[in-house]
Amino acid sequence: MTKYVVGFLFNWELDRVVLIRKTKPEWQAGKLNGVGGKIEKGETPAMAMSREFKEETSVGFLSENWLCVARMSGPGVCVYVFTMQCAES
């Protein structure tokens, strides 16, 4: 089973969210999505969320600050959905 994470970082007022414009896979190219990617061997979902967010945005957060709010699964795939709130800078 392939496991993924996706995260949505909101400001305190919940009126802004960090999204990325996807370039891959091809069927998602140009579409907006949360930040995320594959969970690597030896990682917890929260560790993967922290790593992926840092890789894709250059902004780092501790893995324990991400809150897992959902887990979606289907044939051969599982996606952990995370959220966090922080002040804008």
Side-chain angles (χ1 to χ4, degrees):
M1 176 175 288
T2 306
K3 296 179 181 178
Y4 298 91
V5 292
V6 62
F8 299 92
L9 176 65
F10 293 91
N11 66 346
W12 285 116
E13 294 78 22
L14 298 174
D15 60 2
R16 293 179 184 226
V17 62
V18 174
L19 298 173
I20 59 170
R21 191 163 308 276
K22 300 290 286 185
T23 58
K24 58 184 179 181
E26 189 175 316
W27 65 272
Q28 285 188 18
K31 296 182 177 165
L32 293 173
N33 199 352
V35 177
K38 272 189 185 176
I39 298 175
E40 295 179 359
K41 186 174 181 171
E43 283 185 318
T44 65
M47 289 166 60
M49 184 66 250
S50 183
R51 176 185 53 75
E52 287 286 350
F53 200 88
K54 174 85 174 180
E55 286 178 2
E56 296 185 21
T57 68
S58 300
V59 178
F61 292 101
L62 298 174
S63 59
E64 56 264 21
N65 291 336
W66 288 101
L67 175 65
C68 187
V69 295
R71 192 188 98 198
M72 304 178 290
S73 59
V77 67
C78 179
V79 180
Y80 294 85
V81 181
F82 286 85
T83 187
M84 185 193 307
Q85 280 181 268
C86 75
E88 293 180 69
S89 59

